[in-house]
């Protein structure tokens, strides 16, 4: 799983970093999510590769990885409601029930999977 982990962290980091290359005028919620995602990814990467999931760092890694995936999913839902015509008609301003339900499902999914990941994660046995 090391290769998949590296691929996930690298592509998630690249996604967050490239979001800052677009022109912007002032602070927006998208910039806030990007900045928060970068801090979470930094802690996640340090937990995985700096501290090798030792002790409490395994919880930092799990929570950080799930949070980073949630932010990507959150942005995916926002972008889909902005760009896909059928979804745009359901929630043209982003404050309609269809948008809230979609984001609620995404949030609950990540909470449940994050809880299960924390509960079930066991570090690899040390080799002698």
């Amino acid at each position: 799983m090391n290769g998949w982990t590296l691929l996930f962290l690298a592509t998630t980091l690249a996604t967050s970093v490239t979001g800052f290359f677009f022109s912007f005028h002032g602070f927006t919620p998208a910039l806030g999510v990007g900045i928060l995602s970068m801090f979470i990814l930094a802690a996640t990467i340090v937990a995985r590769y700096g501290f090798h999931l030792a002790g409490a760092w395994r919880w930092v890694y799990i929570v950080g990885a799930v949070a980073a995936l949630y932010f990507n999913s959150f942005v995916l839902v926002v972008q889909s409601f902005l760009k896909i015509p059928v979804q745009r008609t359901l929630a043209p301003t982003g404050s309609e029930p269809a948008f809230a339900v979609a984001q609620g499902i995404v949030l609950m999914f990540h909470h449940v999977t994050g809880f299960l990941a924390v509960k079930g994660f066991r570090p690899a046995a040390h080799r002698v």
Side-chain angles (χ1 to χ4, degrees):
M1 297 299 287
N2 288 331
W4 286 111
T5 299
L6 180 61
L7 179 66
F8 166 72
L9 292 173
T11 56
T12 302
L13 183 63
T15 300
S16 294
V17 168
T18 57
F20 294 106
F21 294 142
F22 296 105
S23 63
F24 60 92
H25 306 287
F27 188 80
T28 64
L31 286 175
V33 169
I35 291 167
L36 186 57
S37 181
M38 296 292 288
F39 280 115
I40 289 171
L41 281 168
T44 304
I45 291 167
V46 167
R48 173 66 181 92
Y49 297 105
F51 291 100
H52 306 285
L53 307 176
W57 287 101
R58 72 185 197 155
W59 309 111
V60 172
Y61 169 73
I62 294 169
V63 171
V66 172
L69 182 58
Y70 167 71
F71 284 139
N72 280 347
S73 301
F74 178 87
V75 171
L76 174 67
V77 171
V78 170
Q79 290 297 315
S80 69
F81 273 92
L82 290 173
K83 308 291 184 195
I84 298 172
V86 171
Q87 287 180 298
R88 188 163 178 84
T89 59
L90 293 173
T93 67
S95 61
E96 291 77 12
F99 181 78
V101 167
Q103 289 294 13
I105 290 169
V106 169
L107 180 63
M108 288 190 339
F109 173 79
H110 284 85
H111 272 279
V112 170
T113 56
F115 172 78
L116 294 173
V118 167
K119 184 178 174 188
F121 185 71
R122 303 286 181 257
H126 293 291
R127 294 187 178 119
V128 181

